[in-house]
Amino acid sequence: MKPSYVYIMTNTYRTTFYVGVTSDLKKRNIEHKSGIGSSFTKKYNLHDLIYFETFTAIQEAIAREKQLKNWHRDWKINLIKAHNPKMRTLTIN
């Protein structure tokens, strides 16, 4: 089964966050960087991938995405910092 991902994108100042789901993280990251990812990420210049989780089933990833979208901002920041303390932009190979 093809892996699926939940990811969080942000802007340069780390003030706005976008939670998404995809089955091709590298491709989706490129789409966001080029402005064709989503209208929200384009509007707020959310080009930096700072967090992601991997799942074996897309249904699990979708459920996690819905969960994270309902989280408070501080909870998301704490989750990100637990894995990426300096909130650096991640690269996908």
Side-chain angles (χ1 to χ4, degrees):
M1 198 171 229
K2 189 174 184 180
S4 300
Y5 306 90
V6 170
Y7 62 93
I8 299 177
M9 303 291 292
T10 190
N11 59 358
T12 302
Y13 304 105
R14 307 308 193 238
T15 55
T16 306
F17 301 97
Y18 173 83
V19 178
V21 66
T22 185
S23 60
D24 189 340
L25 188 59
K26 184 176 182 178
K27 178 182 174 190
R28 191 69 172 138
N29 190 35
I30 291 168
E31 289 173 349
H32 284 300
K33 286 182 182 296
S34 64
I36 59 172
S38 76
S39 58
F40 184 84
T41 57
K42 183 177 182 178
K43 179 178 180 179
Y44 294 101
N45 296 313
L46 309 181
H47 300 143
D48 298 335
L49 175 68
I50 57 169
Y51 179 81
F52 70 91
E53 296 177 17
T54 306
F55 297 88
T56 55
I58 190 71
Q59 296 84 358
E60 294 172 351
I62 291 169
R64 180 64 167 160
E65 176 198 28
K66 288 179 182 180
Q67 180 186 42
L68 292 178
K69 283 189 175 191
N70 286 320
W71 279 21
H72 297 282
R73 172 187 172 77
D74 290 340
W75 297 356
K76 291 175 192 171
I77 291 171
N78 289 337
L79 174 68
I80 296 162
K81 286 187 173 183
H83 299 276
N84 184 0
K86 297 193 183 217
M87 296 178 77
R88 292 188 173 143
T89 302
L90 303 174
T91 56
I92 306 300
N93 297 325

